[in-house]
Amino acid sequence: MSDDLPLDVRAAFGVPSGPARLLPGGGGTCWQAGELVFKPAPRPAVASWLAEVFADLRGPGFRVPRPVRAADGSWVAGGWAAWTVVEGEPDPVTRWPELVAAGRAFHAALAGVPAPSWLGRGRNRWAVAERVAWDQAEVEPAPELSDLVEALRAATRPVRLPSQLVHCDIAGNVLFADGQPPAVIDFSPSWRPTGYALAVAAVDLLAWSAAPPGILDELDGEDDIDQLLLRALIWRLVTESLGRPDPDSRQAVRRANEPVVELLLSRVSGRPMTTGPATDADIAASVGRALGCEITGLRPVTGGHSVARIADRADGGSVFVKAAAPAELVVESAVYEALGDHPFLPRLLASTREPMPMLVLEMLEQDHWVREWTAPLVAATRKLLHEVHTLPAPSGVPVLREMANPWEAIAADPARLLRMGVCSRRWLAEHLDTLHAAAEAPVEGDSLIHRDVRAANLWWHDGRLVLADWASAAIGDPWLDHHLWLVALHAEGGPAPDTDQGPHATAHAALIAGQQPLLAPARDANPALFDQRRRHLTVALSWAARLLHIPPPQPPA
């Protein structure tokens, strides 16, 4: 990807010429050069206001990046603002109590800062959805989400709490570094009760990061927290409804959020939950019964949409547990039950359907999960995929049929792709028809395919290569599986896909590229998954362009 940070902007902020690094998040538009982070400032008045607020913001209990003035004393130069780099990484689920404490300290420091005149007047989907959540506007949600929104709205009542400036995108924007207070970055201002910011973070983590329901206990001290949670989830669902034109994508949003809706409604009504997230006590009891031993503790595992835990046994050792809605585990259970004796699968120790669907698997040592690709690992993965593709297809695994062309949804709403910052509007307009025609890809076949082969799902030690997380498995074209892996491989630092491509590479590259924007959540709902999809889109779209002999995609200037 080319460096879009202008030389005159670097000079204005005193940064010498040299390579700049495109940063994850931020819509793919922020760059680091030297010790500064540069962010586009399309609205200089807004960027200058933000800089003035952060210039004087102090802890205790949190850090913030500091704005940097240009040589002429202004906060914006050439359409860009500059900020100091802050150390840390997001870890919102495992460090949730620290995030909550930092959020409270941050908002306490903001108390008394007046609202700017432009706040609350936006027309983008986030601003519209917030007005809907606070009974200040009406929209008709998409049919896949309308009943969830209406159920939540029916449970709301007036909230009579004072409002102030709040950060409404805090879940993925708190960075943790050893020995330092948490850092709060990328301020998304709104004028709401302070507890609303943490409520938005909580519902996002419950839906998209498999956080346990117990994270809500940390918010018990917030006034009217249940009502704030209801409005936070309404905001998220309406935002997704307005931003997703394709039914399949909206169904994915529904699956992720439906248990959270049930959880919140049960809290408000006082009735027991009939469905929804399992508690750690439920999981521990079920694992103990399945294994015939006592479980002394559970530890969280981040990532994925199912609830994943490490369970410690009283008689020694640990096991890995996945618990989810029945539909989420049916495919994975079918694979383990049919092929569980193969060494490339984690060993299945137990499985249950009642009282909750659950898989109990061997615990694979943390140190041997793949973190970087080497030539021997690439060769071993290629060999493993060939082995998987020659196995008899298990019953209970869905058979792929002709797929909808994803470029039709992108043509109907180009913003779905453009929001990811991988190509310009002009480039997309010029080449969309070519990509649409190319993506009529063959996907049918007789092979078992994994469809999510990437470093995070591979474990390698003493010659044994394990491929985990079979929730997306299907029966289809093995070359589709191979090409999906090549895209992930290059996105994670491995060789370009051209070096190992097979039949239908052009069609599969165009198909894979078109699917990424439709599968990506909103960036502020799950920044890690959004960035993963953006990296895959960058690789697949560039690969498709090479094969189609069209100019490479360039990020917007």
Side-chain angles (χ1 to χ4, degrees), residues 281-295 352 354-356:
D282 296 333
I283 295 171
S286 292
V287 174
R289 285 192 297 269
L291 297 179
C293 68
E294 181 185 355
I295 299 301
T352 64
E354 297 292 341
M356 72 180 71

Side-chain angles (χ1 to χ4, degrees), residues 47 170 247 262 288 306-307 337 416 465 532 546:
I170 204 168
E262 171 71 10
S306 59
V307 175
E337 289 169 7
R416 290 302 305 280
L465 182 60
Q532 175 195 315
R546 292 193 296 273

Side-chain angles (χ1 to χ4, degrees), residues 71-453:
D72 64 1
S74 65
W75 292 118
V76 177
W80 292 80
W83 296 77
T84 58
V85 174
V86 292
E87 290 183 77
E89 296 293 334
D91 191 9
V93 177
T94 57
R95 303 186 74 162
W96 173 248
E98 297 166 74
L99 187 152
V100 170
R104 287 171 173 159
F106 176 79
H107 288 110
L110 281 176
V113 178
S117 59
W118 45 262
L119 191 62
R121 298 184 180 182
R123 297 183 180 180
N124 58 43
R125 60 192 176 104
W126 294 275
V128 171
E130 186 175 74
R131 290 195 284 272
V132 172
W134 288 90
D135 307 318
Q136 297 165 339
E138 292 286 340
V139 298
E140 183 175 349
E144 295 83 359
L145 303 173
S146 60
D147 62 318
L148 301 183
V149 173
E150 290 310 310
L152 292 167
R153 294 190 72 178
T156 61
R157 56 174 175 75
V159 174
R160 296 183 175 89
L161 296 173
S163 293
Q164 67 159 72
L165 279 177
V166 296
H167 189 330
C168 274
D169 184 16
I170 204 168
N173 286 316
V174 176
L175 308 183
F176 300 93
D178 291 343
Q180 301 185 63
V184 182
I185 63 171
D186 285 348
F187 188 34
S188 297
S190 184
W191 190 259
R192 299 295 173 193
T194 56
Y196 181 65
L198 294 172
V200 171
V203 298
D204 281 348
L205 296 179
L206 288 166
W208 295 104
S209 298
I215 68 168
L216 299 184
D217 297 343
E218 202 72 29
L219 305 183
D220 283 346
E222 297 291 334
D223 292 337
D224 234 350
I225 186 58
D226 286 339
Q227 288 296 314
L228 298 178
L229 288 164
L230 292 173
R231 292 178 188 273
L233 191 50
I234 291 169
W235 173 72
R236 177 58 69 199
L237 289 172
V238 175
T239 297
E240 297 285 21
S241 175
L242 294 174
R244 294 178 180 265
D246 52 300
D248 288 347
S249 181
R250 294 195 295 262
Q251 284 289 359
V253 172
R254 182 185 183 91
R255 287 193 297 271
N257 285 274
E258 196 168 16
V260 189
V261 172
E262 171 71 10
L263 173 63
L264 299 190
L265 293 179
S266 72
R267 285 172 60 97
V268 172
S269 66
R271 60 175 171 78
M273 294 179 61
T274 56
T275 61
T279 67
D280 278 2
D282 296 333
I283 295 171
S286 292
V287 174
R289 285 192 297 269
L291 297 179
C293 68
E294 181 185 355
I295 299 301
T296 58
L298 293 179
R299 288 173 277 153
V301 179
T302 58
H305 289 211
S306 59
V307 175
R309 297 287 186 270
I310 297 170
D312 298 320
R313 302 169 52 134
D315 55 1
S318 303
V319 295
F320 183 84
V321 182
K322 291 186 76 170
E328 292 184 49
L329 283 187
V330 63
V331 174
E332 198 157 12
S333 296
V335 172
Y336 281 113
E337 289 169 7
L339 305 174
D341 58 341
H342 287 268
F344 66 77
L345 285 173
R347 187 161 54 93
L348 179 64
L349 304 176
S351 65
T352 64
R353 288 184 171 85
E354 297 292 341
M356 72 180 71
M358 183 179 68
L359 293 172
V360 183
L361 306 170
E362 69 170 306
M363 185 65 200
L364 299 168
E365 295 93 333
Q366 189 65 35
D367 290 346
H368 302 300
W369 287 99
V370 171
R371 291 180 173 83
E372 61 179 346
W373 290 94
T374 63
L377 177 59
V378 171
T381 305
R382 184 185 300 110
K383 181 179 178 182
L384 174 57
L385 277 181
H386 178 73
E387 178 185 351
V388 169
H389 296 156
T390 58
L391 292 171
S395 60
V397 176
V399 177
L400 290 187
R401 304 298 183 192
E402 183 179 353
M403 286 185 175
N405 192 319
W407 293 98
E408 293 181 7
I410 294 171
D413 183 10
R416 290 302 305 280
L417 187 148
L418 295 174
R419 71 189 174 113
M420 304 187 80
V422 171
C423 71
S424 67
R425 185 177 297 275
R426 179 177 178 180
W427 185 92
L428 179 61
E430 290 177 351
H431 304 295
L432 191 146
D433 288 345
T434 301
L435 291 161
H436 181 281
E440 298 294 339
V443 298
E444 300 89 346
D446 300 322
S447 297
L448 172 65
I449 61 177
H450 184 277
R451 296 201 294 172
D452 194 18
V453 181

